[in-house]
Amino acid sequence: MPARNMKFGIVVTSEFAEYIEANLSLITEELEQLGCLPQNIVIKCVPTLHDVLMGTQFFAEFTDVDGVIIVAPNNRVTGHLALMNGIVALQVQWNMVVEIGGAECARNIVDMITLQNEMEINAVDHKVRHNFS
């Protein structure tokens, strides 16, 4: 089970109540089918789309999740340049996978974290090259 040892944060916003209703249970069910334990799925609600970045930041800074799913219509989030810039910066700063969207995010985040873990395990130790000139 690929997600057996993974922990996920899920950020939802009441602004997209219908979207969340249609997707949240599908995401959690898929994560569990992929092996994630129910207690390793942490769901937090933020008031508006504007607050999604801070909710994701809180997961990165104050929890031990491996990745975060933002449950929102992808085009609504990616259409906000400042929000996307913040999410990308957060991903790079914390080396944490963030997925945006609906039910498809469960498989995507597990695949990305699996890839990240495999690459970390197989990373070559780089030695500092000395300049002898």
Side-chain angles (χ1 to χ4, degrees):
M1 294 281 198
R4 170 144 327 279
N5 297 316
M6 295 179 188
K7 187 172 184 176
F8 302 96
I10 298 178
V11 178
V12 298
T13 173
S14 43
E15 193 171 332
F16 300 118
E18 288 181 27
Y19 190 85
I20 291 163
E21 187 177 325
N23 286 278
L24 183 58
S25 63
L26 295 173
I27 292 169
T28 58
E29 288 169 12
E30 180 71 14
L31 288 172
E32 289 175 22
Q33 287 177 4
L34 292 167
C36 184
L37 301 172
Q39 63 267 27
N40 288 340
I41 301 170
V42 182
I43 302 169
K44 297 294 180 183
C45 185
V46 298
T48 67
L49 180 61
H50 172 79
D51 301 305
V52 163
L53 179 58
M54 286 309 299
T56 305
Q57 172 73 33
F58 295 157
F59 269 118
E61 193 167 348
F62 302 122
T63 73
D64 60 348
V65 299
D66 296 295
V68 174
I69 297 172
I70 298 170
V71 185
N74 192 296
N75 64 333
R76 295 290 299 273
V77 177
T78 59
H80 290 274
L81 185 57
L83 180 58
M84 280 307 301
N85 285 340
I87 291 170
V88 170
L90 191 146
Q91 286 180 289
V92 172
Q93 176 186 358
W94 290 94
N95 197 25
M96 186 179 68
V97 177
V98 176
E99 292 289 335
I100 303 164
E104 73 285 355
C105 287
R107 172 68 64 183
N108 294 348
I109 200 166
V110 170
D111 288 348
M112 286 302 296
I113 293 170
T114 300
L115 176 63
Q116 179 183 30
N117 291 340
E118 288 171 356
M119 292 181 79
E120 183 179 8
I121 289 169
N122 295 317
V124 176
D125 290 334
H126 294 321
K127 296 186 182 201
V128 177
R129 293 184 63 183
H130 297 284
N131 187 349
F132 294 105
S133 56

